[in-house]
mmCIF file of all heavy atoms in Angstrom:
data_model
loop_
_atom_site.group_PDB
_atom_site.id
_atom_site.type_symbol
_atom_site.label_atom_id
_atom_site.label_comp_id
_atom_site.label_asym_id
_atom_site.label_seq_id
_atom_site.Cartn_x
_atom_site.Cartn_y
_atom_site.Cartn_z
ATOM 1 N N ALA A 236 106.063 89.291 113.141
ATOM 2 C CA ALA A 236 104.903 89.684 113.928
ATOM 3 C C ALA A 236 103.717 89.990 113.019
ATOM 4 O O ALA A 236 102.567 89.846 113.423
ATOM 5 C CB ALA A 236 105.226 90.905 114.779
ATOM 6 N N ILE A 237 104.026 90.415 111.788
ATOM 7 C CA ILE A 237 102.987 90.762 110.828
ATOM 8 C C ILE A 237 103.586 90.692 109.435
ATOM 9 O O ILE A 237 104.800 90.796 109.262
ATOM 10 C CB ILE A 237 102.384 92.163 111.133
ATOM 11 C CG1 ILE A 237 101.077 92.377 110.385
ATOM 12 C CG2 ILE A 237 103.394 93.272 110.890
ATOM 13 C CD1 ILE A 237 100.231 93.514 110.944
ATOM 14 N N VAL A 238 102.728 90.511 108.442
ATOM 15 C CA VAL A 238 103.161 90.452 107.045
ATOM 16 C C VAL A 238 102.477 91.590 106.294
ATOM 17 O O VAL A 238 101.260 91.761 106.392
ATOM 18 C CB VAL A 238 102.780 89.100 106.399
ATOM 19 C CG1 VAL A 238 103.185 89.061 104.935
ATOM 20 C CG2 VAL A 238 103.393 87.940 107.167
ATOM 21 N N PHE A 239 103.279 92.348 105.543
ATOM 22 C CA PHE A 239 102.753 93.420 104.700
ATOM 23 C C PHE A 239 102.938 93.032 103.238
ATOM 24 O O PHE A 239 104.010 92.529 102.862
ATOM 25 C CB PHE A 239 103.496 94.738 104.948
ATOM 26 C CG PHE A 239 103.344 95.286 106.337
ATOM 27 C CD1 PHE A 239 104.448 95.721 107.042
ATOM 28 C CD2 PHE A 239 102.105 95.362 106.956
ATOM 29 C CE1 PHE A 239 104.326 96.239 108.326
ATOM 30 C CE2 PHE A 239 101.963 95.870 108.236
ATOM 31 C CZ PHE A 239 103.083 96.306 108.920
ATOM 32 N N SER A 240 101.941 93.275 102.434
ATOM 33 C CA SER A 240 102.072 93.016 101.001
ATOM 34 C C SER A 240 102.637 94.251 100.315
ATOM 35 O O SER A 240 102.398 95.384 100.745
ATOM 36 C CB SER A 240 100.722 92.636 100.391
ATOM 37 O OG SER A 240 99.832 93.725 100.441
ATOM 38 N N VAL A 241 103.404 94.021 99.281
ATOM 39 C CA VAL A 241 103.968 95.093 98.467
ATOM 40 C C VAL A 241 103.788 94.730 97.000
ATOM 41 O O VAL A 241 103.696 93.557 96.645
ATOM 42 C CB VAL A 241 105.470 95.345 98.781
ATOM 43 C CG1 VAL A 241 105.648 95.852 100.202
ATOM 44 C CG2 VAL A 241 106.294 94.099 98.571
ATOM 45 N N ASP A 242 103.734 95.757 96.144
ATOM 46 C CA ASP A 242 103.571 95.517 94.710
ATOM 47 C C ASP A 242 104.877 95.084 94.052
ATOM 48 O O ASP A 242 104.867 94.277 93.129
ATOM 49 C CB ASP A 242 103.053 96.782 94.015
ATOM 50 C CG ASP A 242 101.649 97.134 94.461
ATOM 51 O OD1 ASP A 242 100.864 96.213 94.781
ATOM 52 O OD2 ASP A 242 101.329 98.332 94.491
ATOM 53 N N ASP A 243 106.002 95.657 94.512
ATOM 54 C CA ASP A 243 107.305 95.360 93.929
ATOM 55 C C ASP A 243 108.300 95.177 95.065
ATOM 56 O O ASP A 243 108.894 96.137 95.539
ATOM 57 C CB ASP A 243 107.734 96.498 92.993
ATOM 58 C CG ASP A 243 109.021 96.231 92.261
ATOM 59 O OD1 ASP A 243 109.810 95.357 92.693
ATOM 60 O OD2 ASP A 243 109.266 96.914 91.244
ATOM 61 N N LEU A 244 108.464 93.950 95.501
ATOM 62 C CA LEU A 244 109.282 93.678 96.675
ATOM 63 C C LEU A 244 110.729 94.110 96.481
ATOM 64 O O LEU A 244 111.315 94.719 97.360
ATOM 65 C CB LEU A 244 109.233 92.192 97.047
ATOM 66 C CG LEU A 244 109.962 91.934 98.367
ATOM 67 C CD1 LEU A 244 109.060 91.285 99.373
ATOM 68 C CD2 LEU A 244 111.208 91.134 98.129
ATOM 69 N N ARG A 245 111.294 93.830 95.338
ATOM 70 C CA ARG A 245 112.704 94.162 95.138
ATOM 71 C C ARG A 245 112.934 95.678 95.171
ATOM 72 O O ARG A 245 113.904 96.153 95.755
ATOM 73 C CB ARG A 245 113.230 93.530 93.862
ATOM 74 C CG ARG A 245 113.192 92.001 93.983
ATOM 75 C CD ARG A 245 113.957 91.267 92.934
ATOM 76 N NE ARG A 245 113.655 89.852 92.918
ATOM 77 C CZ ARG A 245 114.094 88.960 93.784
ATOM 78 N NH1 ARG A 245 114.853 89.339 94.778
ATOM 79 N NH2 ARG A 245 113.775 87.685 93.680
ATOM 80 N N ALA A 246 112.026 96.453 94.598
ATOM 81 C CA ALA A 246 112.143 97.914 94.635
ATOM 82 C C ALA A 246 111.966 98.422 96.063
ATOM 83 O O ALA A 246 112.695 99.320 96.512
ATOM 84 C CB ALA A 246 111.120 98.558 93.707
ATOM 85 N N GLU A 247 111.021 97.857 96.788
ATOM 86 C CA GLU A 247 110.782 98.266 98.181
ATOM 87 C C GLU A 247 111.982 97.894 99.051
ATOM 88 O O GLU A 247 112.393 98.663 99.919
ATOM 89 C CB GLU A 247 109.505 97.615 98.709
ATOM 90 C CG GLU A 247 108.906 98.272 99.900
ATOM 91 C CD GLU A 247 108.501 99.714 99.679
ATOM 92 O OE1 GLU A 247 108.032 100.097 98.589
ATOM 93 O OE2 GLU A 247 108.668 100.498 100.643
ATOM 94 N N TYR A 248 112.551 96.742 98.808
ATOM 95 C CA TYR A 248 113.752 96.299 99.526
ATOM 96 C C TYR A 248 114.886 97.300 99.321
ATOM 97 O O TYR A 248 115.528 97.727 100.282
ATOM 98 C CB TYR A 248 114.133 94.901 99.023
ATOM 99 C CG TYR A 248 115.467 94.393 99.504
ATOM 100 C CD1 TYR A 248 115.602 93.832 100.768
ATOM 101 C CD2 TYR A 248 116.579 94.435 98.671
ATOM 102 C CE1 TYR A 248 116.829 93.345 101.202
ATOM 103 C CE2 TYR A 248 117.806 93.946 99.094
ATOM 104 C CZ TYR A 248 117.925 93.398 100.362
ATOM 105 O OH TYR A 248 119.140 92.919 100.783
ATOM 106 N N GLU A 249 115.126 97.700 98.088
ATOM 107 C CA GLU A 249 116.202 98.655 97.797
ATOM 108 C C GLU A 249 115.917 100.016 98.430
ATOM 109 O O GLU A 249 116.808 100.658 98.986
ATOM 110 C CB GLU A 249 116.430 98.792 96.294
ATOM 111 C CG GLU A 249 117.016 97.548 95.656
ATOM 112 C CD GLU A 249 118.358 97.114 96.244
ATOM 113 O OE1 GLU A 249 119.151 97.987 96.693
ATOM 114 O OE2 GLU A 249 118.620 95.894 96.267
ATOM 115 N N ARG A 250 114.661 100.459 98.352
ATOM 116 C CA ARG A 250 114.287 101.745 98.953
ATOM 117 C C ARG A 250 114.534 101.723 100.463
ATOM 118 O O ARG A 250 115.145 102.642 101.025
ATOM 119 C CB ARG A 250 112.815 102.066 98.674
ATOM 120 C CG ARG A 250 112.371 103.416 99.267
ATOM 121 C CD ARG A 250 110.874 103.642 99.151
ATOM 122 N NE ARG A 250 110.104 102.879 100.102
ATOM 123 C CZ ARG A 250 109.924 103.206 101.390
ATOM 124 N NH1 ARG A 250 110.489 104.281 101.897
ATOM 125 N NH2 ARG A 250 109.173 102.457 102.183
ATOM 126 N N LEU A 251 114.086 100.677 101.118
ATOM 127 C CA LEU A 251 114.222 100.581 102.571
ATOM 128 C C LEU A 251 115.676 100.404 102.999
ATOM 129 O O LEU A 251 116.099 100.980 103.997
ATOM 130 C CB LEU A 251 113.353 99.445 103.114
ATOM 131 C CG LEU A 251 111.847 99.695 103.014
ATOM 132 C CD1 LEU A 251 111.067 98.434 103.374
ATOM 133 C CD2 LEU A 251 111.428 100.872 103.878
ATOM 134 N N ARG A 252 116.447 99.654 102.247
ATOM 135 C CA ARG A 252 117.880 99.541 102.558
ATOM 136 C C ARG A 252 118.540 100.910 102.456
ATOM 137 O O ARG A 252 119.395 101.245 103.258
ATOM 138 C CB ARG A 252 118.558 98.545 101.620
ATOM 139 C CG ARG A 252 118.353 97.125 102.066
ATOM 140 C CD ARG A 252 119.049 96.102 101.182
ATOM 141 N NE ARG A 252 120.124 96.627 100.374
ATOM 142 C CZ ARG A 252 121.377 96.189 100.392
ATOM 143 N NH1 ARG A 252 121.710 95.203 101.188
ATOM 144 N NH2 ARG A 252 122.276 96.695 99.591
ATOM 145 N N GLY A 253 118.104 101.714 101.491
ATOM 146 C CA GLY A 253 118.617 103.078 101.358
ATOM 147 C C GLY A 253 118.254 103.956 102.544
ATOM 148 O O GLY A 253 118.937 104.939 102.844
ATOM 149 N N GLU A 254 117.180 103.603 103.228
ATOM 150 C CA GLU A 254 116.743 104.324 104.439
ATOM 151 C C GLU A 254 117.438 103.783 105.688
ATOM 152 O O GLU A 254 117.154 104.221 106.796
ATOM 153 C CB GLU A 254 115.227 104.187 104.619
ATOM 154 C CG GLU A 254 114.403 104.867 103.556
ATOM 155 C CD GLU A 254 114.253 106.349 103.811
ATOM 156 O OE1 GLU A 254 114.414 106.802 104.962
ATOM 157 O OE2 GLU A 254 113.986 107.070 102.834
ATOM 158 N N GLY A 255 118.308 102.785 105.520
ATOM 159 C CA GLY A 255 119.028 102.219 106.644
ATOM 160 C C GLY A 255 118.330 101.071 107.347
ATOM 161 O O GLY A 255 118.753 100.639 108.423
ATOM 162 N N VAL A 256 117.259 100.546 106.750
ATOM 163 C CA VAL A 256 116.528 99.435 107.358
ATOM 164 C C VAL A 256 117.381 98.172 107.292
ATOM 165 O O VAL A 256 117.986 97.862 106.267
ATOM 166 C CB VAL A 256 115.171 99.215 106.649
ATOM 167 C CG1 VAL A 256 114.486 97.956 107.142
ATOM 168 C CG2 VAL A 256 114.273 100.434 106.852
ATOM 169 N N HIS A 257 117.411 97.450 108.413
ATOM 170 C CA HIS A 257 118.162 96.198 108.497
ATOM 171 C C HIS A 257 117.249 95.027 108.136
ATOM 172 O O HIS A 257 116.204 94.832 108.779
ATOM 173 C CB HIS A 257 118.718 96.006 109.910
ATOM 174 C CG HIS A 257 119.323 94.655 110.127
ATOM 175 N ND1 HIS A 257 120.488 94.258 109.515
ATOM 176 C CD2 HIS A 257 118.911 93.613 110.875
ATOM 177 C CE1 HIS A 257 120.768 93.026 109.878
ATOM 178 N NE2 HIS A 257 119.819 92.611 110.714
ATOM 179 N N PHE A 258 117.645 94.282 107.126
ATOM 180 C CA PHE A 258 116.911 93.081 106.736
ATOM 181 C C PHE A 258 117.611 91.866 107.321
ATOM 182 O O PHE A 258 118.819 91.718 107.185
ATOM 183 C CB PHE A 258 116.838 92.960 105.212
ATOM 184 C CG PHE A 258 115.764 93.810 104.603
ATOM 185 C CD1 PHE A 258 115.987 95.157 104.361
ATOM 186 C CD2 PHE A 258 114.528 93.281 104.296
ATOM 187 C CE1 PHE A 258 115.000 95.955 103.821
ATOM 188 C CE2 PHE A 258 113.530 94.066 103.759
ATOM 189 C CZ PHE A 258 113.759 95.408 103.519
ATOM 190 N N VAL A 259 116.840 91.003 107.961
ATOM 191 C CA VAL A 259 117.397 89.764 108.491
ATOM 192 C C VAL A 259 117.278 88.651 107.468
ATOM 193 O O VAL A 259 117.890 87.592 107.625
ATOM 194 C CB VAL A 259 116.741 89.355 109.837
ATOM 195 C CG1 VAL A 259 116.972 90.425 110.898
ATOM 196 C CG2 VAL A 259 115.266 89.077 109.672
ATOM 197 N N GLN A 260 116.483 88.894 106.434
ATOM 198 C CA GLN A 260 116.369 87.946 105.324
ATOM 199 C C GLN A 260 116.172 88.740 104.040
ATOM 200 O O GLN A 260 115.224 89.517 103.920
ATOM 201 C CB GLN A 260 115.194 87.000 105.534
ATOM 202 C CG GLN A 260 115.060 85.967 104.439
ATOM 203 C CD GLN A 260 113.882 85.055 104.681
ATOM 204 O OE1 GLN A 260 113.497 84.797 105.811
ATOM 205 N NE2 GLN A 260 113.313 84.561 103.610
ATOM 206 N N ASP A 261 117.086 88.574 103.117
ATOM 207 C CA ASP A 261 116.996 89.240 101.821
ATOM 208 C C ASP A 261 115.874 88.611 100.996
ATOM 209 O O ASP A 261 115.415 87.506 101.302
ATOM 210 C CB ASP A 261 118.327 89.123 101.080
ATOM 211 C CG ASP A 261 119.448 89.879 101.788
ATOM 212 O OD1 ASP A 261 119.150 90.853 102.507
ATOM 213 O OD2 ASP A 261 120.617 89.489 101.625
ATOM 214 N N PRO A 262 115.426 89.301 99.943
ATOM 215 C CA PRO A 262 114.344 88.754 99.126
ATOM 216 C C PRO A 262 114.671 87.360 98.587
ATOM 217 O O PRO A 262 115.792 87.093 98.155
ATOM 218 C CB PRO A 262 114.240 89.755 97.972
ATOM 219 C CG PRO A 262 114.761 91.024 98.532
ATOM 220 C CD PRO A 262 115.857 90.615 99.472
ATOM 221 N N ARG A 263 113.661 86.512 98.659
ATOM 222 C CA ARG A 263 113.784 85.172 98.078
ATOM 223 C C ARG A 263 112.399 84.654 97.742
ATOM 224 O O ARG A 263 111.414 85.050 98.368
ATOM 225 C CB ARG A 263 114.515 84.228 99.014
ATOM 226 C CG ARG A 263 113.712 83.827 100.218
ATOM 227 C CD ARG A 263 114.444 82.798 101.036
ATOM 228 N NE ARG A 263 113.559 82.259 102.041
ATOM 229 C CZ ARG A 263 113.968 81.626 103.103
ATOM 230 N NH1 ARG A 263 115.243 81.449 103.309
ATOM 231 N NH2 ARG A 263 113.106 81.162 103.967
ATOM 232 N N GLU A 264 112.375 83.786 96.774
ATOM 233 C CA GLU A 264 111.111 83.180 96.395
ATOM 234 C C GLU A 264 110.852 82.005 97.323
ATOM 235 O O GLU A 264 111.744 81.187 97.585
ATOM 236 C CB GLU A 264 111.160 82.710 94.945
ATOM 237 C CG GLU A 264 109.798 82.423 94.387
ATOM 238 C CD GLU A 264 109.766 82.361 92.869
ATOM 239 O OE1 GLU A 264 110.434 83.200 92.229
ATOM 240 O OE2 GLU A 264 109.075 81.472 92.363
ATOM 241 N N GLN A 265 109.651 81.950 97.849
ATOM 242 C CA GLN A 265 109.263 80.853 98.732
ATOM 243 C C GLN A 265 107.851 80.438 98.359
ATOM 244 O O GLN A 265 106.878 81.102 98.738
ATOM 245 C CB GLN A 265 109.338 81.274 100.195
ATOM 246 C CG GLN A 265 109.114 80.131 101.153
ATOM 247 C CD GLN A 265 109.424 80.511 102.587
ATOM 248 O OE1 GLN A 265 109.990 81.554 102.871
ATOM 249 N NE2 GLN A 265 109.046 79.656 103.506
ATOM 250 N N GLY A 266 107.752 79.378 97.606
ATOM 251 C CA GLY A 266 106.439 78.927 97.157
ATOM 252 C C GLY A 266 105.778 79.983 96.292
ATOM 253 O O GLY A 266 106.376 80.476 95.338
ATOM 254 N N PRO A 267 104.569 80.384 96.653
ATOM 255 C CA PRO A 267 103.816 81.322 95.816
ATOM 256 C C PRO A 267 104.162 82.800 96.020
ATOM 257 O O PRO A 267 103.533 83.663 95.432
ATOM 258 C CB PRO A 267 102.365 81.061 96.231
ATOM 259 C CG PRO A 267 102.473 80.645 97.669
ATOM 260 C CD PRO A 267 103.771 79.857 97.760
ATOM 261 N N VAL A 268 105.154 83.098 96.875
ATOM 262 C CA VAL A 268 105.485 84.497 97.152
ATOM 263 C C VAL A 268 106.990 84.754 97.077
ATOM 264 O O VAL A 268 107.798 83.846 97.221
ATOM 265 C CB VAL A 268 104.990 84.967 98.549
ATOM 266 C CG1 VAL A 268 103.485 84.874 98.664
ATOM 267 C CG2 VAL A 268 105.666 84.196 99.657
#
Side-chain angles (χ1 to χ4, degrees):
I237 195 162
V238 178
F239 297 133
S240 66
V241 295
D242 294 328
D243 184 341
L244 186 123
R245 296 193 193 284
E247 200 60 36
Y248 171 81
E249 291 301 329
R250 181 188 76 80
L251 291 171
R252 279 182 20 123
E254 294 279 338
V256 172
H257 171 69
F258 279 82
V259 299
Q260 182 180 330
D261 294 334
R263 72 175 190 199
E264 196 163 319
Q265 187 170 349
V268 299

